[in-house]
Amino acid sequence: MKAAVLVARAVFPEVLEKLAAHFELSTNQPDAVWTQAQLISQLQGKQGVLTTGSERVDAALLAACPALKICANMAVGFNNFDLDAMSAAGVLGSNTPDVLTDTTADFGFALLLATARRMAEAEHFLRAGLWSRWRYDMFAGAEVHGSTLGILGMGRIGQGIARRAAHGFGMQVIYHNRSRLDAATESACAARWVSKTELLQSCDHLMLVLPYSPQAHHAVGAPELAQMKPTATLVNIARGGIVDDAALAAALRQGTIAAAGLDVFEGEPRVHPDLLALSNVVLTPHIASATLSTRRAMADLAADNLIRFLVHGQAVTPLNPQILNGAASA
Ligand code: GLV
């Protein structure tokens, strides 16, 4: 008998076709916004679900959906999963690492360049018809090449950014991470480990690439911003909640730092109104992995996890692999 699977959000039709060959499939191609109660109702009798970072899987949902065996997240981040509750309930979680690393690192760099070189502000000025003549200091920004890049969080994406910075832009790269990279990886990234204080104080540009966890909540708030150079740029492509957005808006307004590029926000898709009111911030709607080929690869990998687990009792990129030992295929 085919297992029942819900694809909770709109995805590529060809990925649905692949899943439909293996499962009784329910979908949400209109991309309707479901409440948590509606998601739970849609999940009744389903053994698997393909989620994005927007669907919350917690103890209450797991208790209300006893048939559920796997949640395959179409994202590398999985802070929408209560992984301990999933493990306790015997539910496998999977994510989509690797396939988005370079695309996301490219975007981090694009956001850094756009922010430091004031591209959004300059474009708005031009579109508003305000450009009457060249001026020596018009939209003069901060130098990127040859400057010092600080990276907070140094996983696969952080390392991709470090390589671009060191080898493409001749930047000095310093990083802070709970665990230090081995010497060979540090050398490939041309990156040097420093304390968080040194990172904040020394960098010209700070890139946040750490995963969200309760310990990382407001890892950059008013005290951290106060340690940065007044000329510094902050880029957040990690997760909302890692930066205290209200404190950041105040810092940008007061000139504590010069500019910020943000792809993620506390409570997104809402954006703090104080950030919206500022010109020295570049804002994008959580699109760091958004190229068609990468989003397709992410959807494929999430689908492959569902197929591999529910059909073969294995998984490609499991988050709590201990579940596999006790897993029964459908
Ligand atoms: C996007 O934010 C992801 O975690 O893949």
Side-chain angles (χ1 to χ4, degrees):
M1 199 177 106
K2 283 183 174 178
V5 164
L6 171 69
V7 180
R9 297 291 305 275
V11 294
F12 298 89
E14 55 274 31
V15 174
L16 292 182
E17 272 171 39
K18 174 161 108 171
L19 286 167
H22 298 275
F23 304 125
E24 289 303 328
L25 205 60
S26 305
T27 62
N28 178 14
Q29 285 306 80
D31 219 21
V33 180
W34 290 335
T35 62
Q36 195 70 359
Q38 286 169 324
L39 175 62
I40 288 172
S41 152
Q42 295 284 343
L43 278 172
Q44 292 312 301
K46 307 293 189 305
Q47 283 84 51
V49 60
L50 191 152
T51 52
T52 69
S54 308
E55 287 71 50
R56 189 160 44 84
V57 176
D58 56 16
L61 178 143
L62 294 165
C65 305
L68 202 55
K69 295 196 171 352
I70 172 171
C71 302
N73 221 24
M74 186 183 148
V76 67
F78 51 91
N79 56 303
N80 55 315
F81 285 177
D82 181 339
L83 205 56
D84 289 340
M86 289 169 71
S87 298
V91 173
L92 187 81
S94 65
N95 67 339
T96 58
D98 299 318
V99 293
L100 48 59
T101 300
D102 281 312
T103 299
T104 305
D106 284 350
F107 189 85
F109 228 88
L111 199 48
L112 168 59
L113 287 166
T115 306
R117 298 299 307 272
R118 304 176 60 181
M119 285 176 69
E121 204 182 337
E123 206 227 23
H124 292 152
F125 170 88
L126 183 152
R127 283 182 188 272
L130 299 171
W131 186 26
S132 57
R133 57 186 179 148
W134 185 92
R135 200 189 129 88
Y136 77 98
D137 61 351
M138 193 165 70
F139 297 109
E143 213 70 85
V144 173
H145 76 272
S147 64
T148 297
L149 177 66
I151 302 179
L152 189 57
M154 196 57 156
R156 289 164 285 229
I157 297 169
Q159 291 169 36
I161 290 167
R163 286 192 303 272
R164 284 160 175 75
H167 304 312
F169 285 78
M171 299 173 87
Q172 323 303 317
V173 181
I174 53 178
Y175 76 96
H176 181 76
N177 203 33
R178 267 176 322 188
S179 44
R180 194 171 163 172
L181 299 176
D182 60 67
T185 314
E186 274 192 356
S187 150
C189 297
R192 185 168 63 85
W193 187 92
V194 295
S195 68
K196 187 173 173 189
T197 301
E198 185 177 345
L199 186 86
L200 293 166
Q201 291 177 349
S202 309
C203 68
D204 297 308
H205 308 288
L206 179 63
M207 180 83 67
L208 306 181
V209 210
L210 64 167
Y212 182 84
S213 66
Q215 296 72 35
H217 187 74
H218 287 184
V220 177
E224 288 76 21
L225 292 161
Q227 294 177 65
M228 293 174 67
K229 297 181 185 178
T231 49
T233 303
L234 172 75
V235 176
N236 186 9
I237 56 165
R239 273 290 180 275
I242 288 175
V243 174
D244 177 342
D245 285 350
L248 174 61
L252 288 165
R253 207 171 35 242
Q254 291 155 9
T256 309
I257 67 168
L262 307 173
D263 188 47
V264 287
F265 305 88
E266 284 190 284
E268 64 187 51
R270 289 188 310 280
V271 176
H272 197 295
D274 291 357
L275 288 171
L276 291 170
L278 291 165
S279 59
N280 52 344
V281 56
V282 180
L283 307 166
T284 52
H286 203 145
I287 54 167
S289 66
T291 64
L292 278 178
S293 62
T294 291
R295 286 283 166 86
R296 172 68 207 265
M298 291 164 69
D300 262 330
L301 181 51
D304 288 345
N305 273 296
L306 287 162
I307 296 166
R308 193 79 82 82
F309 183 67
L310 289 171
V311 179
H312 304 290
Q314 297 158 3
V316 193
T317 48
L319 293 165
N320 48 354
Q322 69 274 20
I323 296 300
L324 294 171
N325 304 327
S329 48

